[in-house]
Amino acid sequence: MTATTLDPRTALVVIDLQQGITALPTVHPSAEVIERSARLAAAFRARDLPVVLVNVTGMAPGRNDGGPGGNVSFPEGWADLVKELDQQPEDITVSKKQWGAFYGTGLDMELRRRGVTQIVLVGISTSIGVESTARDAYEAGYHITIATDAVTDTDADAHANSLQRIFPRLAETGSTDEILALLPAAK
């Protein structure tokens, strides 16, 4: 469904735009996702709307066929947010050790304390961090909008599956420019 409206208390949630992940090869260039996400962050801040910057600092402990879980160490700076996001003191920061930004973090409490009823999602990877966060937000009762030109993935098929099959069941979608046009006038 095309994005139709944004609630008065909508937060931008930026998923895993950090040094280690943005350096990976992706379907759409990370630089474009970063630029669009940074534009949305600046617009949300100009309207005194919450901006949540999420990074991943570890892995869930469960065993899987994809490699080691649990106690994985990443190189120095791997989890550092990209500077283009222009992190501000009022931004909410969430560090996670699993795919989604809700489970095992204080994100839901931070949003509810601020009266947030809707989130706009951007980031990497579409089929992992973004989709998991969208699923959790949907189950928690938030309205969700996904900026489809501000998400990307390392796998083209997984990216397409999320955009075409999963997100339409969880959220409204739109381009960065369409979402910017739905924001109220800056303060």
Side-chain angles (χ1 to χ4, degrees):
M1 174 182 284
T2 302
T4 59
T5 190
L6 295 177
D7 294 350
R9 289 302 296 166
T10 297
L12 176 68
V13 180
V14 181
I15 302 294
D16 301 345
L17 292 187
Q18 61 192 67
Q19 297 299 327
I21 291 179
T22 58
L24 298 171
T26 54
V27 176
H28 303 291
S30 293
E32 293 177 7
V33 171
I34 293 167
E35 184 274 327
R36 291 176 182 127
S37 298
R39 276 198 299 141
L40 283 164
F44 272 67
R45 290 181 192 117
R47 290 155 176 85
D48 293 325
L49 293 171
V51 173
V52 180
L53 303 176
V54 179
N55 69 341
V56 61
T57 60
M59 295 176 66
R63 290 187 301 270
N64 62 69
D65 289 338
N71 294 328
V72 174
S73 60
F74 296 108
E76 179 83 20
W78 191 88
D80 293 349
L81 295 166
V82 296
K83 66 180 178 358
E84 292 89 343
L85 292 175
D86 191 30
Q87 184 176 357
Q88 297 297 307
E90 66 271 12
D91 293 344
I92 302 164
T93 56
V94 173
S95 292
K96 61 186 177 75
K97 293 188 178 196
Q98 60 283 324
W99 288 4
F102 281 91
Y103 180 79
T105 73
L107 179 57
D108 187 47
M109 180 183 63
E110 292 284 353
L111 296 175
R112 292 195 191 281
R113 281 183 177 169
R114 290 165 174 81
V116 170
T117 57
Q118 181 169 2
I119 64 171
V120 171
L121 278 170
V122 298
I124 301 173
S125 284
T126 310
S127 66
I128 298 176
V130 176
E131 183 178 315
S132 293
T133 301
R135 287 174 182 261
D136 290 346
Y138 180 80
E139 290 178 357
Y142 292 95
H143 297 129
I144 306 158
T145 301
I146 297 167
T148 55
D149 61 351
V151 295
T152 193
D153 204 295
T154 58
D155 182 291
D157 291 336
H159 176 74
N161 184 67
S162 293
L163 290 175
Q164 296 167 11
R165 294 185 179 91
I166 305 300
F167 293 161
R169 299 183 75 171
L170 302 172
E172 293 186 331
T173 59
S175 69
T176 297
D177 288 338
E178 289 168 338
I179 294 167
L180 288 169
L182 293 173
L183 286 169
K187 293 187 175 196

